[in-house]
Amino acid sequence: MLVSGFTVIRNAEIMGYPIVESIRSILPLVDEYVIGVGQSEDQTKKIIEAIDDPKIKIFDSIWDKTKTQGGLILSEKTNEALERCLGDWCFYLQADEVVHEDDLSTIKQKLGQHRNDNAVEGLLFDYIHFYGSYNVIGTSRSWYRNEVRIVKRSAGARSVGDAQGFRVGDRKPNVVHSGAKIYHYGWVKPPAAMGEKNKHMFRWWHGNKYDESFKDFAYKTAYGLRYFKGTHPKIMAPLIAKQDWNFVLRRGFGDWNLRDVKNMISDIVEKITGRRIGEFKNYVLLKTYTKER
């Protein structure tokens, strides 16, 4: 069984991505790691090359800056990397996503278990979204709970939209749960750096229209933010130790906006019914396998 890792990256320093930590987090699991490196205004390619692991396969990718609709260039570039993968399974990590070392054996077991099961086209992961600080997570429905991050190459899955999910032809992939989590650090960096990252990222949706709105970026407390009680992947320890800004959860009911109220009501309904009504899912979870978790 061969497992390919794959990702795309551009302006890693400017965007403040933990790309090295992301890549290294699954290197013990994969047989190759395909990385599309876009033209950058920083030292991104040197950073990737410095990892210096024989599993890593770098290719140059040109990002067309005139493509500013719907973040579609992200799936376009993701598919360039996916097409170069040789594995039976293809493990996609975005540049701000990290896997905990404790989950690697569980993932490997699931890959072996379903390798020859044609009904299973991918593996689903739970998400832990960090916001504002390495000790704060978002738990409301504003944050997606699950996403597919491993696809079976023989299924012909393709990245779609802004590269959050995949499709097999024109339908959602049939998946089972991996039993593992993705640690998402995309919203954790110094406030000024967060504003700069958002400015560059929003350009793939809106061009330069909102550049000025990120000048004085500040993290905001909101309904569903909670302090994190678990453990981080060990590979993140040096970055976490460098945090030199504070983000404290202080907010009363009088500070809530309409979105906060809607999220609170949704949580109440979910606790009563056991369902998150209206939740969008990029996958079909095979019910036959739901007891595996």
Short mmCIF file of all heavy atoms in Angstrom, two decimals, residues 75-122:
data_model
loop_
_atom_site.label_atom_id
_atom_site.label_comp_id
_atom_site.label_asym_id
_atom_site.label_seq_id
_atom_site.Cartn_x
_atom_site.Cartn_y
_atom_site.Cartn_z
N SER A 75 -8.39 25.21 -5.71
CA SER A 75 -8.64 23.83 -6.14
C SER A 75 -7.87 23.52 -7.42
O SER A 75 -7.41 22.39 -7.61
CB SER A 75 -10.14 23.59 -6.34
OG SER A 75 -10.69 24.48 -7.29
N GLU A 76 -7.72 24.52 -8.29
CA GLU A 76 -6.94 24.30 -9.51
C GLU A 76 -5.52 23.86 -9.18
O GLU A 76 -4.99 22.89 -9.74
CB GLU A 76 -6.90 25.59 -10.33
CG GLU A 76 -6.02 25.54 -11.56
CD GLU A 76 -5.88 26.89 -12.23
OE1 GLU A 76 -6.88 27.63 -12.31
OE2 GLU A 76 -4.76 27.22 -12.69
N LYS A 77 -4.89 24.55 -8.24
CA LYS A 77 -3.52 24.23 -7.87
C LYS A 77 -3.45 22.94 -7.04
O LYS A 77 -2.48 22.17 -7.15
CB LYS A 77 -2.89 25.40 -7.11
CG LYS A 77 -2.77 26.66 -7.96
CD LYS A 77 -1.94 26.38 -9.20
CE LYS A 77 -2.10 27.41 -10.27
NZ LYS A 77 -1.36 27.10 -11.50
N THR A 78 -4.45 22.71 -6.24
CA THR A 78 -4.50 21.45 -5.47
C THR A 78 -4.58 20.26 -6.41
O THR A 78 -3.91 19.23 -6.20
CB THR A 78 -5.71 21.46 -4.51
OG1 THR A 78 -5.55 22.54 -3.58
CG2 THR A 78 -5.83 20.15 -3.77
N ASN A 79 -5.37 20.37 -7.46
CA ASN A 79 -5.48 19.27 -8.42
C ASN A 79 -4.17 19.04 -9.18
O ASN A 79 -3.87 17.91 -9.56
CB ASN A 79 -6.63 19.53 -9.40
CG ASN A 79 -7.98 19.27 -8.77
OD1 ASN A 79 -8.13 18.34 -7.97
ND2 ASN A 79 -8.98 20.08 -9.11
N GLU A 80 -3.40 20.09 -9.40
CA GLU A 80 -2.09 19.91 -10.03
C GLU A 80 -1.21 18.98 -9.19
O GLU A 80 -0.47 18.15 -9.72
CB GLU A 80 -1.38 21.26 -10.21
CG GLU A 80 -1.96 22.13 -11.30
CD GLU A 80 -1.19 23.43 -11.46
OE1 GLU A 80 -0.19 23.64 -10.72
OE2 GLU A 80 -1.58 24.25 -12.31
N ALA A 81 -1.29 19.15 -7.86
CA ALA A 81 -0.51 18.28 -6.97
C ALA A 81 -1.11 16.89 -6.91
O ALA A 81 -0.38 15.88 -6.95
CB ALA A 81 -0.44 18.90 -5.58
N LEU A 82 -2.43 16.80 -6.82
CA LEU A 82 -3.10 15.51 -6.74
C LEU A 82 -2.79 14.65 -7.97
O LEU A 82 -2.59 13.44 -7.86
CB LEU A 82 -4.61 15.72 -6.60
CG LEU A 82 -5.51 14.49 -6.60
CD1 LEU A 82 -5.11 13.51 -5.52
CD2 LEU A 82 -6.97 14.90 -6.44
N GLU A 83 -2.75 15.28 -9.14
CA GLU A 83 -2.48 14.54 -10.38
C GLU A 83 -1.09 13.91 -10.39
O GLU A 83 -0.85 12.95 -11.13
CB GLU A 83 -2.61 15.49 -11.58
CG GLU A 83 -4.05 15.89 -11.86
CD GLU A 83 -4.14 17.10 -12.76
OE1 GLU A 83 -3.07 17.63 -13.18
OE2 GLU A 83 -5.27 17.53 -13.05
N ARG A 84 -0.17 14.40 -9.59
CA ARG A 84 1.19 13.88 -9.55
C ARG A 84 1.38 12.79 -8.51
O ARG A 84 2.46 12.20 -8.41
CB ARG A 84 2.17 15.04 -9.29
CG ARG A 84 2.34 15.97 -10.48
CD ARG A 84 3.07 17.25 -10.07
NE ARG A 84 3.52 18.03 -11.23
CZ ARG A 84 2.74 18.84 -11.94
NH1 ARG A 84 1.45 18.96 -11.60
NH2 ARG A 84 3.23 19.51 -12.96
N CYS A 85 0.35 12.52 -7.73
CA CYS A 85 0.45 11.51 -6.68
C CYS A 85 0.42 10.10 -7.28
O CYS A 85 -0.33 9.82 -8.22
CB CYS A 85 -0.71 11.66 -5.69
SG CYS A 85 -0.62 13.16 -4.68
N LEU A 86 1.20 9.20 -6.70
CA LEU A 86 1.30 7.82 -7.18
C LEU A 86 0.67 6.81 -6.21
O LEU A 86 0.59 5.62 -6.53
CB LEU A 86 2.77 7.45 -7.40
CG LEU A 86 3.55 8.33 -8.39
CD1 LEU A 86 5.02 7.90 -8.43
CD2 LEU A 86 2.94 8.27 -9.77
N GLY A 87 0.27 7.26 -5.05
CA GLY A 87 -0.19 6.35 -4.01
C GLY A 87 -1.58 5.78 -4.24
O GLY A 87 -2.37 6.30 -5.02
N ASP A 88 -1.86 4.69 -3.50
CA ASP A 88 -3.22 4.15 -3.47
C ASP A 88 -4.15 5.15 -2.78
O ASP A 88 -5.31 5.31 -3.15
CB ASP A 88 -3.24 2.82 -2.70
CG ASP A 88 -2.31 1.79 -3.31
OD1 ASP A 88 -2.57 1.36 -4.44
OD2 ASP A 88 -1.29 1.46 -2.66
N TRP A 89 -3.61 5.80 -1.75
CA TRP A 89 -4.33 6.83 -1.01
C TRP A 89 -3.57 8.15 -1.14
O TRP A 89 -2.34 8.16 -1.18
CB TRP A 89 -4.42 6.48 0.47
CG TRP A 89 -5.24 5.28 0.82
CD1 TRP A 89 -4.78 4.03 1.09
CD2 TRP A 89 -6.66 5.22 0.98
NE1 TRP A 89 -5.81 3.18 1.41
CE2 TRP A 89 -6.98 3.89 1.35
CE3 TRP A 89 -7.69 6.15 0.84
CZ2 TRP A 89 -8.30 3.48 1.59
CZ3 TRP A 89 -9.00 5.73 1.08
CH2 TRP A 89 -9.29 4.42 1.44
N CYS A 90 -4.31 9.25 -1.16
CA CYS A 90 -3.70 10.58 -1.30
C CYS A 90 -4.18 11.44 -0.13
O CYS A 90 -5.37 11.69 0.02
CB CYS A 90 -4.10 11.22 -2.62
SG CYS A 90 -3.65 10.23 -4.06
N PHE A 91 -3.23 11.88 0.69
CA PHE A 91 -3.50 12.59 1.94
C PHE A 91 -3.22 14.08 1.71
O PHE A 91 -2.08 14.50 1.53
CB PHE A 91 -2.59 12.04 3.03
CG PHE A 91 -3.01 12.38 4.45
CD1 PHE A 91 -2.65 11.53 5.50
CD2 PHE A 91 -3.74 13.52 4.74
CE1 PHE A 91 -3.02 11.83 6.81
CE2 PHE A 91 -4.12 13.83 6.04
CZ PHE A 91 -3.76 12.97 7.07
N TYR A 92 -4.28 14.86 1.73
CA TYR A 92 -4.19 16.30 1.47
C TYR A 92 -4.17 17.07 2.78
O TYR A 92 -5.05 16.93 3.62
CB TYR A 92 -5.40 16.74 0.65
CG TYR A 92 -5.52 18.20 0.39
CD1 TYR A 92 -4.47 18.95 -0.13
CD2 TYR A 92 -6.74 18.86 0.62
CE1 TYR A 92 -4.61 20.30 -0.40
CE2 TYR A 92 -6.89 20.21 0.35
CZ TYR A 92 -5.83 20.93 -0.16
OH TYR A 92 -5.97 22.27 -0.43
N LEU A 93 -3.14 17.89 2.96
CA LEU A 93 -3.12 18.82 4.08
C LEU A 93 -2.93 20.22 3.54
O LEU A 93 -2.02 20.47 2.74
CB LEU A 93 -1.97 18.51 5.06
CG LEU A 93 -2.17 17.39 6.07
CD1 LEU A 93 -0.98 17.34 7.03
CD2 LEU A 93 -3.46 17.57 6.86
N GLN A 94 -3.77 21.15 3.97
CA GLN A 94 -3.54 22.53 3.64
C GLN A 94 -2.41 23.06 4.52
O GLN A 94 -2.06 22.45 5.54
CB GLN A 94 -4.83 23.33 3.79
CG GLN A 94 -5.88 22.90 2.80
CD GLN A 94 -7.13 23.76 2.82
OE1 GLN A 94 -7.33 24.60 3.71
NE2 GLN A 94 -7.99 23.56 1.83
N ALA A 95 -1.86 24.19 4.15
CA ALA A 95 -0.62 24.68 4.77
C ALA A 95 -0.77 25.06 6.23
O ALA A 95 0.23 25.22 6.93
CB ALA A 95 -0.09 25.87 3.98
N ASP A 96 -2.00 25.17 6.72
CA ASP A 96 -2.21 25.52 8.12
C ASP A 96 -2.84 24.37 8.91
O ASP A 96 -3.36 24.56 10.00
CB ASP A 96 -3.09 26.78 8.25
CG ASP A 96 -4.38 26.69 7.46
OD1 ASP A 96 -4.76 25.56 7.05
OD2 ASP A 96 -5.02 27.73 7.23
N GLU A 97 -2.77 23.16 8.35
CA GLU A 97 -3.35 21.99 9.00
C GLU A 97 -2.25 21.02 9.45
O GLU A 97 -1.30 20.77 8.71
CB GLU A 97 -4.30 21.27 8.03
CG GLU A 97 -5.49 22.15 7.62
CD GLU A 97 -6.39 21.49 6.60
OE1 GLU A 97 -5.96 20.51 5.94
OE2 GLU A 97 -7.54 21.95 6.46
N VAL A 98 -2.42 20.49 10.65
CA VAL A 98 -1.42 19.61 11.25
C VAL A 98 -2.12 18.38 11.83
O VAL A 98 -3.23 18.48 12.35
CB VAL A 98 -0.63 20.35 12.35
CG1 VAL A 98 0.43 19.44 12.98
CG2 VAL A 98 0.03 21.61 11.79
N VAL A 99 -1.45 17.24 11.78
CA VAL A 99 -1.99 15.99 12.34
C VAL A 99 -1.22 15.64 13.61
O VAL A 99 0.01 15.77 13.67
CB VAL A 99 -1.89 14.85 11.31
CG1 VAL A 99 -2.30 13.51 11.94
CG2 VAL A 99 -2.76 15.16 10.10
N HIS A 100 -1.94 15.20 14.61
CA HIS A 100 -1.33 14.81 15.89
C HIS A 100 -0.63 13.47 15.72
O HIS A 100 -1.17 12.54 15.10
CB HIS A 100 -2.42 14.71 16.96
CG HIS A 100 -1.90 14.81 18.35
ND1 HIS A 100 -1.10 13.85 18.92
CD2 HIS A 100 -2.10 15.77 19.31
CE1 HIS A 100 -0.82 14.20 20.16
NE2 HIS A 100 -1.40 15.37 20.42
N GLU A 101 0.54 13.36 16.30
CA GLU A 101 1.32 12.11 16.19
C GLU A 101 0.57 10.91 16.78
O GLU A 101 0.76 9.77 16.34
CB GLU A 101 2.69 12.26 16.88
CG GLU A 101 2.64 12.51 18.38
CD GLU A 101 2.44 13.97 18.76
OE1 GLU A 101 2.28 14.81 17.84
OE2 GLU A 101 2.45 14.26 19.97
N ASP A 102 -0.30 11.15 17.75
CA ASP A 102 -1.05 10.06 18.36
C ASP A 102 -2.07 9.44 17.41
O ASP A 102 -2.56 8.33 17.65
CB ASP A 102 -1.78 10.54 19.61
CG ASP A 102 -0.83 10.84 20.77
OD1 ASP A 102 0.35 10.44 20.69
OD2 ASP A 102 -1.27 11.48 21.75
N ASP A 103 -2.40 10.15 16.32
CA ASP A 103 -3.42 9.67 15.39
C ASP A 103 -2.84 8.90 14.20
O ASP A 103 -3.59 8.30 13.43
CB ASP A 103 -4.24 10.85 14.85
CG ASP A 103 -5.25 11.37 15.87
OD1 ASP A 103 -5.61 10.60 16.79
OD2 ASP A 103 -5.67 12.53 15.75
N LEU A 104 -1.53 8.91 14.02
CA LEU A 104 -0.95 8.32 12.82
C LEU A 104 -1.22 6.83 12.70
O LEU A 104 -1.53 6.32 11.62
CB LEU A 104 0.56 8.59 12.78
CG LEU A 104 0.98 10.06 12.62
CD1 LEU A 104 2.49 10.18 12.62
CD2 LEU A 104 0.39 10.67 11.34
N SER A 105 -1.12 6.11 13.80
CA SER A 105 -1.34 4.66 13.74
C SER A 105 -2.80 4.33 13.43
O SER A 105 -3.09 3.37 12.70
CB SER A 105 -0.93 4.00 15.06
OG SER A 105 -1.67 4.52 16.15
N THR A 106 -3.71 5.14 13.96
CA THR A 106 -5.13 4.94 13.68
C THR A 106 -5.43 5.17 12.21
O THR A 106 -6.17 4.41 11.57
CB THR A 106 -5.98 5.90 14.54
OG1 THR A 106 -5.75 5.64 15.92
CG2 THR A 106 -7.46 5.74 14.23
N ILE A 107 -4.85 6.24 11.65
CA ILE A 107 -5.05 6.53 10.23
C ILE A 107 -4.50 5.40 9.37
O ILE A 107 -5.16 4.94 8.43
CB ILE A 107 -4.38 7.87 9.86
CG1 ILE A 107 -5.01 9.03 10.64
CG2 ILE A 107 -4.49 8.11 8.35
CD1 ILE A 107 -4.24 10.33 10.53
N LYS A 108 -3.31 4.94 9.70
CA LYS A 108 -2.69 3.87 8.92
C LYS A 108 -3.54 2.60 8.95
O LYS A 108 -3.70 1.92 7.93
CB LYS A 108 -1.29 3.58 9.47
CG LYS A 108 -0.53 2.55 8.65
CD LYS A 108 0.90 2.38 9.17
CE LYS A 108 1.68 1.39 8.31
NZ LYS A 108 3.08 1.23 8.79
N GLN A 109 -4.10 2.31 10.11
CA GLN A 109 -4.94 1.12 10.23
C GLN A 109 -6.17 1.24 9.34
O GLN A 109 -6.57 0.28 8.65
CB GLN A 109 -5.36 0.94 11.70
CG GLN A 109 -6.16 -0.33 11.98
CD GLN A 109 -7.65 -0.15 11.81
OE1 GLN A 109 -8.18 0.92 12.08
NE2 GLN A 109 -8.32 -1.20 11.36
N LYS A 110 -6.78 2.43 9.30
CA LYS A 110 -7.97 2.64 8.46
C LYS A 110 -7.63 2.55 6.98
O LYS A 110 -8.41 2.02 6.18
CB LYS A 110 -8.60 4.00 8.78
CG LYS A 110 -9.41 4.03 10.06
CD LYS A 110 -10.62 3.13 9.95
CE LYS A 110 -11.42 3.11 11.25
NZ LYS A 110 -12.12 4.36 11.49
N LEU A 111 -6.47 3.06 6.60
CA LEU A 111 -6.07 2.98 5.20
C LEU A 111 -5.92 1.53 4.76
O LEU A 111 -6.36 1.15 3.67
CB LEU A 111 -4.74 3.73 4.99
CG LEU A 111 -4.77 5.24 5.20
CD1 LEU A 111 -3.37 5.82 5.05
CD2 LEU A 111 -5.72 5.91 4.23
N GLY A 112 -5.30 0.70 5.59
CA GLY A 112 -5.16 -0.71 5.27
C GLY A 112 -6.49 -1.43 5.25
O GLY A 112 -6.75 -2.27 4.37
N GLN A 113 -7.34 -1.10 6.19
CA GLN A 113 -8.64 -1.76 6.31
C GLN A 113 -9.51 -1.55 5.08
O GLN A 113 -10.23 -2.46 4.64
CB GLN A 113 -9.36 -1.23 7.56
CG GLN A 113 -10.74 -1.82 7.80
CD GLN A 113 -11.38 -1.24 9.04
OE1 GLN A 113 -10.74 -0.55 9.83
NE2 GLN A 113 -12.66 -1.51 9.21
N HIS A 114 -9.45 -0.35 4.50
CA HIS A 114 -10.36 -0.01 3.40
C HIS A 114 -9.67 0.11 2.04
O HIS A 114 -10.28 0.56 1.08
CB HIS A 114 -11.07 1.31 3.73
CG HIS A 114 -11.96 1.21 4.92
ND1 HIS A 114 -13.14 0.50 4.91
CD2 HIS A 114 -11.83 1.73 6.18
CE1 HIS A 114 -13.71 0.58 6.12
NE2 HIS A 114 -12.94 1.32 6.90
N ARG A 115 -8.43 -0.32 1.98
CA ARG A 115 -7.67 -0.19 0.73
C ARG A 115 -8.39 -0.86 -0.44
O ARG A 115 -8.47 -0.31 -1.55
CB ARG A 115 -6.28 -0.81 0.90
CG ARG A 115 -5.46 -0.83 -0.37
CD ARG A 115 -4.18 -1.60 -0.18
NE ARG A 115 -3.40 -1.66 -1.41
CZ ARG A 115 -2.30 -2.39 -1.56
NH1 ARG A 115 -1.86 -3.12 -0.54
NH2 ARG A 115 -1.65 -2.40 -2.71
N ASN A 116 -8.92 -2.05 -0.24
CA ASN A 116 -9.54 -2.81 -1.33
C ASN A 116 -11.07 -2.77 -1.29
O ASN A 116 -11.72 -3.55 -1.99
CB ASN A 116 -9.05 -4.26 -1.28
CG ASN A 116 -7.56 -4.37 -1.51
OD1 ASN A 116 -7.01 -3.73 -2.42
ND2 ASN A 116 -6.89 -5.16 -0.68
N ASP A 117 -11.61 -1.87 -0.50
CA ASP A 117 -13.06 -1.72 -0.41
C ASP A 117 -13.48 -0.62 -1.37
O ASP A 117 -13.32 0.56 -1.10
CB ASP A 117 -13.46 -1.37 1.03
CG ASP A 117 -14.96 -1.35 1.24
OD1 ASP A 117 -15.70 -1.29 0.24
OD2 ASP A 117 -15.40 -1.38 2.40
N ASN A 118 -14.04 -1.00 -2.51
CA ASN A 118 -14.38 -0.02 -3.54
C ASN A 118 -15.49 0.93 -3.13
O ASN A 118 -15.68 1.98 -3.76
CB ASN A 118 -14.77 -0.73 -4.83
CG ASN A 118 -13.60 -1.46 -5.47
OD1 ASN A 118 -12.46 -1.04 -5.32
ND2 ASN A 118 -13.89 -2.56 -6.16
N ALA A 119 -16.23 0.57 -2.09
CA ALA A 119 -17.31 1.46 -1.63
C ALA A 119 -16.76 2.69 -0.94
O ALA A 119 -17.42 3.73 -0.89
CB ALA A 119 -18.24 0.70 -0.69
N VAL A 120 -15.55 2.58 -0.39
CA VAL A 120 -14.95 3.67 0.38
C VAL A 120 -14.01 4.46 -0.53
O VAL A 120 -13.04 3.93 -1.05
CB VAL A 120 -14.18 3.14 1.60
CG1 VAL A 120 -13.50 4.28 2.34
CG2 VAL A 120 -15.12 2.39 2.53
N GLU A 121 -14.32 5.75 -0.69
CA GLU A 121 -13.55 6.61 -1.58
C GLU A 121 -12.69 7.64 -0.85
O GLU A 121 -11.90 8.35 -1.48
CB GLU A 121 -14.49 7.33 -2.54
CG GLU A 121 -15.27 6.37 -3.43
CD GLU A 121 -16.40 7.00 -4.18
OE1 GLU A 121 -17.01 7.97 -3.65
OE2 GLU A 121 -16.70 6.55 -5.30
N GLY A 122 -12.86 7.73 0.46
CA GLY A 122 -12.07 8.68 1.21
C GLY A 122 -12.24 8.52 2.70
O GLY A 122 -13.08 7.75 3.17
#
